[in-house]
């Protein structure tokens, strides 16, 4: 298993979701409100520059490679987590 990635699908999904929510919360303005795991990244207010930053933050936090195109192909936290946890 990759460094920093928990064993088991449910544990990976939980870790990936928590990391994504935390990273997006840090990228958005303080008054943005709660981060939905089902809303598309663009609906959350993330622009292309922020999505590029998000891939780097998640790669560092999770120890997995995440190409930028993955955030467009899997355009919400839940979709991305499902893809990464597979």
């Amino acid at each position: 298993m990759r460094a920093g990635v928990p064993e088991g699908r449910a544990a990976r999904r939980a870790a990936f979701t928590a990391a994504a929510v935390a990273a997006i919360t840090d990228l958005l303005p303080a008054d943005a409100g709660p981060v939905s795991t089902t809303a598309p990244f663009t609906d959350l207010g993330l622009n292309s520059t922020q999505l590029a930053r998000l891939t780097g933050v998640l790669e560092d936090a999770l120890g997995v490679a995440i190409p930028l195109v993955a955030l467009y192909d899997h355009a919400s936290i839940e979709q991305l987590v499902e893809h990464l946890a597979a």
Side-chain angles (χ1 to χ4, degrees):
M1 185 57 52
R2 298 166 286 208
V5 179
E7 292 288 336
R9 185 175 170 85
R12 285 194 308 273
R13 286 180 54 80
F16 291 172
T17 299
V21 169
I24 290 169
T25 299
D26 288 346
L27 289 170
L28 294 175
D31 63 349
V35 173
S36 168
T37 60
T38 59
F41 296 121
T42 54
D43 287 359
L44 294 174
L46 296 175
N47 60 37
S48 58
T49 302
Q50 290 169 312
L51 289 174
R53 282 190 214 143
L54 179 60
T55 60
V57 170
L58 291 177
E59 286 176 344
D60 290 345
L62 302 173
V64 296
I66 304 171
L68 181 57
V69 71
L71 274 72
Y72 290 96
D73 291 342
H74 311 283
S76 71
I77 292 172
E78 283 190 7
Q79 290 176 13
L80 182 64
V81 166
E82 184 64 30
H83 170 70
L84 294 175

